[in-house]
Amino acid sequence: MGKFDELSHFIIENVGGKDNIIGLTHCMTRLRFTLNDYSLANESKLKENKEIATAQKAGGQYQVVIGTHVGDVYTAILEKIGAEKSVESSEKKSVLNSIIEIITKVITPILGILLASGLIQGLLMILTFAGLLQETDGAYFILNAMGQAIFNFFPVILGYTSAKAFKLDPAIGIIIGAIITFPGMVENLASGDAIITLFEGSFVATPVYQTFFGIPVMFPAMGYGSTVIPIIFIVFFASKINHFLKNKIPAVMAFTLVPFLTILLTIPISLLAIGPITNMLSELISNSISALYGFSTIFTSFIVALIYQPLVILGLHWPLITLGLQNLSLHGSDYILPTLFTASFAQAAVVAAVYFRTQAKTQKEIAVPAFISALFCIIEPAIYGVTLQVKKRFVFSMLGGAIGGTFISAFGADMYAGVVGIFGFVSFLNPNGEYSGLIISIVGVLISIIISFLLTYLIFDKKIEPKTEEAVHHKKSGLGEKLIYSPLKGNVTKLENATDSAFANGLLGKGILFYPEGNQVVAPFDGMITTVFPTGHAVGITSTDGVEMLVHVGKDTVRLEGQYFKKLKEQGDLVKKGEAIVEFNLEAIKKENFSIETPVVITNSDKYANILITGSGFINYTDELISIQLNSGTSVLPKDGGVLHDDK
């Protein structure tokens, strides 16, 4: 059994099964499903799995956020559903959703080498700036080639990834990229004396130097060597021709004729029409954004930086990143990526503030890896594990990131390499030796960190500090309160979060929801076992003074018919606090794809004046869990803060 077999099986079942999956792709942290029926996806069950950060429908897809090991999970799922579903089908989608899907599928496979190339460029800049290398040194030439090769041959690399995305033979995609970047194309097709200028007098005026059988060839002066958008459209066009030819040419001749005719038809049409049009389109987009920045750098930068983190949640941030890469490849520098650079540091700052302020052990455990991931610009763990759970935390991260990003943009610091996260500072070093951008980026990041951290830290503190006193007294007389202790070990949350509506709506009484980590139900007080279901999945206990508690292990586990449960006590048995009542095999239950959410409720809640529930975090066996106010008299909250939920 592979490492991710269990998780991949769980995901397949909870997106509606193999037959419900039309197609699948992935980006850096999330699986992206195209489904026949999105209503079949069990979102609550997916979110309960500790190996899944979150799940949602967004951007025309069903997204399951896994983390940086998503590629391994993707491979495991494909082994079960079939490799033919590795790319979404051409189901009807909005133009925006289709563009985002294409960008995701084309850019994601090269992000690793793109970051590696950027780091090499940064290393070269540092060595040159420090005087350890000269531009005439052999080591300089080699390192420069290592850092710049991806941009010089971008269409070749994107030809491959685009072909994979459009179900075209990747070899054809590679050769198409190689043809449009073939040495000498610029010298022979875009230099010398122009024979005509098309669209003269407009912003798209294009001189023509050569013809193709009498048809003017509009070849860009800089060539296609560093472009992004043209090759994607060209390969898309090639895929349509290729698929048409496959359906028309007999199989016995297809091996040679299909690629021959695909290339023969694609390249002339691409160089004469598709390339020039898409090149103009990319220039128009770039110029429009430049104009917007020129109109108001501060306002535009702030808006772009502010919306970036919400776009990450929806998986809609790729167009911004692609525009940044387009600028890097065409001009050697970019002004969009610097605006987004601070987002990951803002998320890290919020996570750090939560770590120092929260009383919940589980939240602290989540915060540490989320903080480290954010430093390397993988912000999904921080978003879904910490900041998005309390909406204002996410807002503080947005504000901090936007203000810091705006500062960097306002002072004109461009990036010269596609490196992000903690190593990304080297991207602000200008190859000509200028280092002011590096200083500006450091200041901008510090601004984001300080703002995000302080807002989270101070407001969190103001919210929770008055409510974490060990006792809250009311000036009333009476019998006071009774403490109920935990029958389980694990993480707890509000009962209203239960996926079983009967428990979530309080129909069976007030209580709390457990996600067990132990393998027993123990007595929460001295009393009697009043009910043990024959299957052992649920038990009712009554205290010596009449408090009635129900513990229901897992959801729908009655269907297991007692498998994985062992009753240690029977109805009518007397028990002492902490004494084991039922044993269960938690891992086996999870492998059977049953939810382990376990409601613990006081079934006779209506007999008491008030029931105060521990908020959230990790609870061990026999820890204080519930405080029952026996009448209108004095009440003492549990020492961890009662119904409080940190800074919510």
Side-chain angles (χ1 to χ4, degrees):
M1 178 177 286
K3 182 178 180 182
F4 296 106
D5 273 3
E6 182 179 341
L7 177 59
S8 60
H9 177 74
F10 175 85
I11 292 172
I12 292 169
E13 289 302 310
N14 287 287
V15 295
K18 176 181 176 180
D19 293 338
N20 194 40
I21 300 172
I22 297 174
L24 172 65
T25 186
H26 72 91
C27 53
M28 286 188 71
T29 58
R30 65 189 73 197
L31 297 164
R32 295 168 176 266
F33 289 91
T34 300
L35 304 176
N36 282 306
D37 185 351
Y38 288 90
S39 68
L40 296 180
N42 191 335
E43 191 162 303
S44 60
K45 200 166 186 178
L46 287 165
K47 288 181 177 179
E48 288 167 8
N49 193 306
K50 291 186 178 180
E51 295 182 82
I52 297 173
T54 193
Q56 63 187 359
K57 186 177 186 295
Q61 300 168 314
Y62 198 81
Q63 303 176 5
V64 180
V65 182
I66 300 294
T68 54
H69 57 289
V70 65
D72 295 326
V73 181
Y74 168 79
T75 300
I77 291 177
L78 281 187
E79 290 176 356
K80 294 177 174 60
I81 67 174
E84 69 276 4
K85 295 186 178 182
S86 62
V87 181
E88 286 84 350
S89 72
S90 56
E91 64 167 8
K92 189 174 182 180
K93 304 180 181 72
S94 70
V95 174
L96 177 61
N97 289 339
S98 297
I99 290 173
I100 290 169
E101 282 185 15
I102 291 170
I103 290 173
T104 300
K105 290 182 284 188
V106 171
I107 298 296
T108 299
I110 65 165
L111 283 178
I113 60 170
L114 190 65
L115 293 174
S117 299
L119 283 174
I120 293 171
Q121 285 180 268
L123 175 63
L124 180 60
M125 293 173 191
I126 292 172
L127 293 174
T128 305
F129 179 76
L132 299 175
L133 279 182
Q134 302 297 321
E135 293 185 3
T136 56
D137 293 343
Y140 181 93
F141 287 123
I142 294 173
L143 286 171
N144 187 58
M146 292 164 64
Q148 289 294 329
I150 188 172
F151 291 115
N152 289 347
F153 300 101
F154 226 0
V156 179
I157 299 169
L158 294 178
Y160 172 82
T161 59
S162 298
K164 295 280 285 184
F166 299 129
K167 298 183 180 179
L168 175 68
D169 181 354
I172 296 178
I174 291 172
I175 197 63
I176 289 173
I179 291 170
I180 67 174
T181 58
F182 190 76
M185 294 286 271
V186 173
E187 290 80 358
N188 293 304
L189 297 178
S191 61
D193 296 325
I195 59 177
I196 189 176
T197 299
L198 299 176
F199 314 114
E200 191 169 4
S202 70
F203 75 96
V204 291
T206 306
V208 175
Y209 302 91
Q210 296 287 351
T211 65
F212 181 78
F213 295 109
I215 304 173
V217 178
M218 294 182 290
F219 203 85
M222 299 299 293
Y224 292 106
S226 297
T227 57
V228 175
I229 297 176
I231 185 63
I232 297 175
F233 278 87
I234 291 171
V235 173
F236 173 74
F237 176 68
S239 71
K240 295 301 181 183
I241 292 179
N242 185 265
H243 297 155
F244 173 80
L245 293 172
K246 282 184 175 180
N247 291 328
K248 299 298 181 182
I249 297 177
V252 68
M253 297 183 292
F255 181 78
T256 302
L257 282 182
V258 169
F260 164 69
L261 292 174
T262 298
I263 295 170
L264 187 64
L265 294 173
T266 297
I267 297 302
I269 295 173
S270 298
L271 293 180
L272 295 173
I274 299 174
I277 291 172
T278 54
N279 195 54
M280 289 178 186
L281 176 63
S282 61
E283 286 290 335
L284 177 62
I285 294 171
S286 180
N287 291 337
S288 298
I289 294 178
S290 295
L292 196 58
Y293 271 88
F295 173 75
S296 177
T297 299
I298 294 177
F299 176 77
T300 305
S301 298
F302 182 79
I303 295 300
V304 170
L306 189 68
I307 66 172
Y308 175 69
Q309 294 182 52
L311 289 177
V312 171
I313 295 175
L314 299 174
L316 305 178
H317 56 301
W318 289 106
L320 287 175
I321 294 174
T322 303
L323 287 173
L325 295 178
Q326 174 85 357
N327 288 335
L328 276 177
S329 61
L330 285 175
H331 311 298
S333 63
D334 172 60
Y335 52 86
I336 296 177
L337 296 178
T339 307
L340 316 177
F341 182 70
T342 56
S344 60
F345 295 98
Q347 282 284 335
V350 173
V351 171
V354 171
Y355 176 84
F356 288 119
R357 271 322 200 190
T358 186
Q359 301 299 311
K361 179 182 177 182
T362 302
Q363 189 81 126
K364 285 182 178 290
E365 292 174 348
I366 293 172
V368 174
F371 175 81
I372 295 172
S373 296
L375 291 180
F376 290 92
C377 205
I378 305 297
I379 61 177
E380 279 86 351
I383 290 174
Y384 297 115
V386 180
T387 62
L388 199 60
Q389 292 183 356
V390 181
K391 302 302 184 292
K392 61 187 174 188
R393 295 178 188 170
F394 189 74
V395 172
F396 295 157
S397 177
M398 289 172 58
L399 287 174
I403 294 171
T406 302
F407 175 88
I408 293 175
S409 181
F411 280 87
D414 288 348
M415 292 180 75
Y416 300 90
V419 187
V420 289
I422 198 166
F423 293 130
F425 291 104
V426 297
S427 299
F428 289 91
L429 286 172
N430 193 316
N432 66 16
E434 175 63 42
Y435 60 88
S436 61
L438 173 62
I439 297 174
I440 292 169
S441 69
I442 293 173
V443 174
V445 166
L446 287 175
I447 290 172
S448 293
I449 289 174
I450 291 170
I451 290 173
S452 300
F453 183 89
L454 288 180
L455 283 173
T456 307
Y457 187 93
L458 294 176
I459 293 183
F460 188 111
D461 186 51
K462 289 178 181 177
K463 280 286 187 182
I464 193 170
E465 194 60 27
K467 299 180 181 180
T468 53
E469 301 171 6
E470 294 223 358
V472 178
H473 295 279
H474 303 278
K475 291 184 178 180
K476 296 180 180 178
S477 60
L479 297 176
E481 52 90 66
K482 174 180 176 61
L483 292 176
I484 306 297
Y485 300 90
S486 177
L488 295 160
K489 177 175 74 172
N491 294 299
V492 297
T493 185
K494 293 181 290 186
L495 186 61
E496 65 191 43
N497 292 330
T499 57
D500 188 326
S501 60
F503 287 107
N505 295 329
L507 300 180
L508 300 175
K510 295 181 180 180
I512 197 164
L513 188 66
F514 263 89
Y515 294 95
E517 293 185 6
N519 62 352
Q520 290 184 335
V521 176
V522 305
F525 38 59
D526 295 349
M528 177 185 290
I529 306 299
T530 49
T531 304
V532 179
F533 281 73
T535 57
H537 76 286
V539 58
I541 318 152
T542 301
S543 72
T544 54
D545 49 5
V547 177
E548 298 173 4
M549 175 181 281
L550 171 67
V551 181
H552 191 290
V553 180
K555 181 181 178 183
D556 297 327
T557 45
V558 65
R559 292 194 285 121
L560 289 171
E561 299 179 345
Q563 190 178 15
Y564 310 128
F565 289 90
K566 180 181 180 181
K567 295 184 290 182
L568 304 178
K569 299 290 182 181
E570 295 294 339
Q571 184 172 330
D573 287 352
L574 298 177
V575 290
K576 294 287 185 180
K577 185 185 79 172
E579 191 173 357
I581 302 172
V582 172
E583 286 184 353
F584 52 90
N585 188 329
L586 189 63
E587 293 305 314
I589 294 171
K590 290 193 288 187
K591 285 182 179 179
E592 294 286 349
N593 291 325
F594 283 83
S595 169
I596 62 167
E597 67 173 35
T598 300
V600 175
V601 298
I602 305 300
T603 53
N604 59 342
S605 299
D606 56 344
K607 291 187 177 181
Y608 302 103
N610 200 3
I611 295 178
L612 303 171
I613 310 294
T614 297
S616 60
F618 181 84
I619 300 293
N620 209 336
Y621 292 119
T622 69
D623 281 353
E624 294 178 8
L625 183 69
I626 297 172
S627 176
I628 295 180
Q629 189 172 316
L630 302 179
N631 66 1
S632 61
T634 302
S635 173
V636 182
L637 292 173
K639 63 182 179 181
D640 62 351
V643 293
L644 308 178
H645 294 274
D646 287 343
D647 56 340
K648 290 183 181 178

